[in-house]
């Protein structure tokens, strides 16, 4: 285990708000997820605090009385850290730290910390550092409160203010460098995608809530060997592998980072180089943990993120995973009826995988064009390419020197074949 991944055992209090129009069940489920995030970051939860308020307060997010109660040690006395279920403003974080004398984190910081531990590739490390710095920049003042006694003004310019300006400039310069590096990453990805496009292979992106089993499904379908642990955000770096369907069609399948409710906007912005794979895919495979009691809310969170990525409206195949641990088979049947064209699988046992491959074939037939061609024998290289990237239904060699071919063709290849398309009277 790398040093950066060694868990730092801290004791934390989780804090959430039950706002008007939000059920306590939804708040509790969000805090249960926050508990899992805290565990992924190496923290144990000493207590959970839920306060009912119409909206967060400007000074402390929670009410001042509740903040003072935590500060007095009335709850979670052994806890060293407060973790809030929403993003705090710089002022709220500063006020809470001053009042409670504890380290204060919000959901965004927690997710950023987990991403920093899990990033493996250079691209992943660049993206997470950019997100961390974008989050840090407006909060630098909070880090220099120990020098706030400087009165400022002419002749009293304190070292705290000078250092703060230096730090801001350094952070902004580092952000600019990271953005330049990530633009290069995006260029390299575009070159890789263009290479794949030259093969005319359709591309499907696995999307879904974190821990829904996307990586396990990729491993089951391709033998990719991607880490697929039972924890949030186990996989950050995208992996693309080839799937050969039963009818010998080839499909490129890409695993992407999992989504989550309240996914920090800085992460979406920073991970655009990775998430472009979602935007440019021919098919989205939305993997859902059918065994999770809040799977409908998780599906809504994924759809919300896809909308932010401008990826809504793409052809999408719903895959209900973990059907082997759903307590009642009727629940799976109900989901399949509710979502026609969806498939239920178990990436762990392999149940439902043949049906999933068949559904891939059906979706690809809709994506490809059915063409009937009369190729001269001299175009043997073109015929070989049709076999390689298309789905050939029939080949017949005629005495007049032509080869009659009926095949499903990728749209990108169709213009090159236009000269040999048979008219309807002959087809």
């Amino acid at each position: 285990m790398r040093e950066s991944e060694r868990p730092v055992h801290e004791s934390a209090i989780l804090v959430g708000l039950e706002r008007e129009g939000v059920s306590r069940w939804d708040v509790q489920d969000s805090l249960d997820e926050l508990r899992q995030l805290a565990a992924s970051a190496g923290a144990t939860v000493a207590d959970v605090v839920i306060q009912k308020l119409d909206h967060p307060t400007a000074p402390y997010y929670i009410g001042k009385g509740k903040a003072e109660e935590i500060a007095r040690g009335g709850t979670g006395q052994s806890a060293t850290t407060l973790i809030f279920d929403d993003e705090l403003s710089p002022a709220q974080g500063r006020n809470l730290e001053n009042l409670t004398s504890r380290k204060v984190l919000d959901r965004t910081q927690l997710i950023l910390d987990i991403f920093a531990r899990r990033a493996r590739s250079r691209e992943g490390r660049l993206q997470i550092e950019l997100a961390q710095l974008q989050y840090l920049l407006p909060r630098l003042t909070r880090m220099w409160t120990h020098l706030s006694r400087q009165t400022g003004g002419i002749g009293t310019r304190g070292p705290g203010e000078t250092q703060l300006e230096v730090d801001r400039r350094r952070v902004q310069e580092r952000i600019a460098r990271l953005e330049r590096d990530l633009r290069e990453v995006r260029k390299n990805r575009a070159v890789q995608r263009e290479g794949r496009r030259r093969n005319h292979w359709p591309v499907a992106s696995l999307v879904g809530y974190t821990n829904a089993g996307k990586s396990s499904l990729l491993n089951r379908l391709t033998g990719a060997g991607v880490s697929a642990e039972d924890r949030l955000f186990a996989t950050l770096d995208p992996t693309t592998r080839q799937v050969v369907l039963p009818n010998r069609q080839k499909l490129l399948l890409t695993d992407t980072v999992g989504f989550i409710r309240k996914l920090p906007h800085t992460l979406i912005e920073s991970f655009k180089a990775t998430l472009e794979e979602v935007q440019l895919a021919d098919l989205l495979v939305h993997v859902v943990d059918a065994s999770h009691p809040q799977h409908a809310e998780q599906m809504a969170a994924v759809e919300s993120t896809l909308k932010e990525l401008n990826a809504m409206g793409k052809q999408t195949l719903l895959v209900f995973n973990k059907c082997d641990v759903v307590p009642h088979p009727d629940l799976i049947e109900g989901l399949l009826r509710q979502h026609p064209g969806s498939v239920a699988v178990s990436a762990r046992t392999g149940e439902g995988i043949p049906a999933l491959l068949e559904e891939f074939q059906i979706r690809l037939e809709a994506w490809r064009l059915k063409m009937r061609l009369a190729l001269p024998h001299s175009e043997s290289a073109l015929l070989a390419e049709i076999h390689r990237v298309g789905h050939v239904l029939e080949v017949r060699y005629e005495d007049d020197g032509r080869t009659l071919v009926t095949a499903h063709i990728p749209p990108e290849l169709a213009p090159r074949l236009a000269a040999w398309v048979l008219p309807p009277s002959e087809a």
Side-chain angles (χ1 to χ4, degrees):
M1 181 182 293
R2 299 186 313 174
E3 188 64 32
S4 62
E5 277 212 339
R6 293 186 187 281
V8 178
H9 294 291
E10 299 183 34
S11 180
I13 300 171
L14 309 185
V15 185
L17 283 188
E18 184 181 341
R19 308 186 201 190
E20 184 179 5
V22 179
S23 71
R24 193 172 183 87
W25 174 264
D26 288 338
V27 175
Q28 189 60 59
D29 187 61
S30 184
L31 285 168
D32 287 345
E33 186 173 84
L34 189 66
R35 181 189 293 269
Q36 294 180 61
L37 289 168
S40 293
T44 57
V45 176
D47 202 357
V48 177
V49 175
I50 301 176
Q51 186 175 28
K52 192 168 184 176
L53 284 176
D54 290 342
H55 52 79
T57 67
Y60 298 105
Y61 177 80
I62 53 178
K64 184 177 181 182
K66 181 65 70 175
E68 289 175 340
E69 178 186 335
I70 294 173
R72 289 193 302 268
T75 181
Q77 294 186 17
S78 64
T80 58
T81 305
L82 303 178
I83 304 177
F84 286 75
D85 196 31
D86 288 296
E87 187 169 317
L88 300 175
S89 70
Q92 288 169 336
R94 181 170 62 250
N95 293 339
L96 285 162
E97 285 187 347
N98 290 338
L99 179 64
T100 65
S101 300
R102 287 182 167 116
K103 181 165 65 175
V104 175
L105 303 175
D106 59 25
R107 189 182 182 96
T108 297
Q109 283 175 285
L110 191 60
I111 292 174
L112 290 173
D113 180 81
I114 294 169
F115 271 52
R117 292 166 183 259
R118 305 280 166 78
R120 289 286 186 273
S121 68
R122 176 176 177 270
E123 176 186 351
R125 290 193 293 270
L126 287 173
Q127 289 174 134
I128 190 58
E129 184 182 353
L130 177 60
Q132 287 176 315
L133 291 176
Q134 288 172 332
Y135 178 87
L136 171 67
L137 188 58
R139 292 166 172 79
L140 280 176
T141 305
R142 173 174 154 195
M143 300 174 64
W144 286 97
T145 52
H146 64 292
L147 295 172
S148 61
R149 295 187 186 88
Q150 298 292 336
T151 58
I154 297 174
T156 58
R157 193 173 183 83
E161 185 177 2
T162 304
Q163 185 61 53
L164 179 59
E165 290 177 347
V166 169
D167 285 353
R168 276 204 183 109
R169 186 176 68 252
R170 286 176 176 169
V171 169
Q172 288 167 339
E173 289 172 352
R174 180 62 180 162
I175 286 175
R177 282 199 300 272
L178 290 169
E179 288 176 338
R180 286 196 299 270
D181 289 345
L182 283 171
R183 281 196 291 271
E184 287 302 312
V185 169
R186 294 176 77 172
K187 287 180 184 177
N188 292 336
R189 281 199 172 276
V191 170
Q192 292 171 2
R193 277 194 297 268
E194 185 57 34
R196 296 201 297 258
R197 290 289 180 189
R198 281 197 294 270
N199 287 323
H200 306 298
W201 291 344
V203 178
S205 277
L206 294 167
V207 299
Y209 210 76
T210 182
N211 210 30
K214 300 183 304 302
S215 298
S216 297
L217 186 58
L218 182 75
N219 290 338
R220 169 65 65 174
L221 292 170
T222 69
V226 173
S227 172
E229 301 170 57
D230 185 16
R231 60 178 183 175
L232 303 185
F233 299 119
T235 305
L236 294 185
D237 299 315
T239 302
T240 300
R241 294 291 185 271
Q242 176 183 294
V243 179
V244 180
L245 302 178
N247 64 1
R248 293 176 299 179
Q249 292 183 73
K250 293 176 181 177
L251 170 70
L252 293 178
L253 197 58
T254 299
D255 186 19
T256 59
V257 63
F259 300 153
I260 197 169
R261 277 174 294 187
K262 306 176 187 176
L263 187 67
H265 183 73
T266 51
L267 274 180
I268 295 177
E269 285 298 309
S270 301
F271 274 71
K272 274 189 173 176
T274 295
L275 295 174
E276 275 182 338
E277 299 292 339
V278 175
Q279 295 170 320
L280 300 174
D282 301 301
L283 173 68
L284 298 183
V285 183
H286 183 174
V287 183
V288 181
D289 179 358
S291 68
H292 198 284
Q294 299 293 310
H295 65 266
E297 288 78 3
Q298 293 184 349
M299 289 170 65
V302 171
E303 289 167 2
S304 175
T305 304
L306 291 174
K307 186 175 182 181
E308 191 167 351
L309 293 170
N310 296 318
M312 284 295 287
K314 282 185 171 291
Q315 184 179 194
T316 303
L317 170 59
L318 265 178
V319 178
F320 292 101
N321 190 27
K322 305 186 184 182
C323 65
D324 56 313
V325 293
V326 174
H328 303 292
D330 290 347
L331 295 175
I332 292 294
E333 293 300 323
L335 287 172
L336 295 178
R337 284 195 300 271
Q338 185 181 352
H339 301 279
S342 59
V343 180
V345 305
S346 168
R348 186 177 67 85
T349 67
E351 180 183 351
I353 295 300
L356 175 59
L357 295 174
E358 184 178 345
E359 190 62 31
F360 278 148
Q361 292 180 172
I362 293 171
R363 300 298 178 104
L364 291 182
E365 284 177 4
W367 175 76
R368 293 168 185 264
L369 304 172
K370 186 176 181 180
M371 302 182 75
R372 182 135 170 92
L373 308 164
L375 297 175
H377 289 339
S378 59
E379 293 292 339
S380 57
L382 190 55
L383 178 60
E385 185 170 359
I386 293 172
H387 274 285
R388 183 171 58 85
V389 303
H391 178 212
V392 176
L393 303 175
E394 181 186 10
V395 177
R396 194 168 74 243
Y397 296 95
E398 298 291 303
D399 295 335
D400 60 4
R402 299 184 304 166
T403 303
L404 302 184
V405 182
T406 304
H408 289 291
I409 304 295
E412 294 91 340
L413 186 58
R416 291 175 53 195
L417 301 173
W420 294 289
V421 174
L422 282 173
S425 57
E426 290 189 54

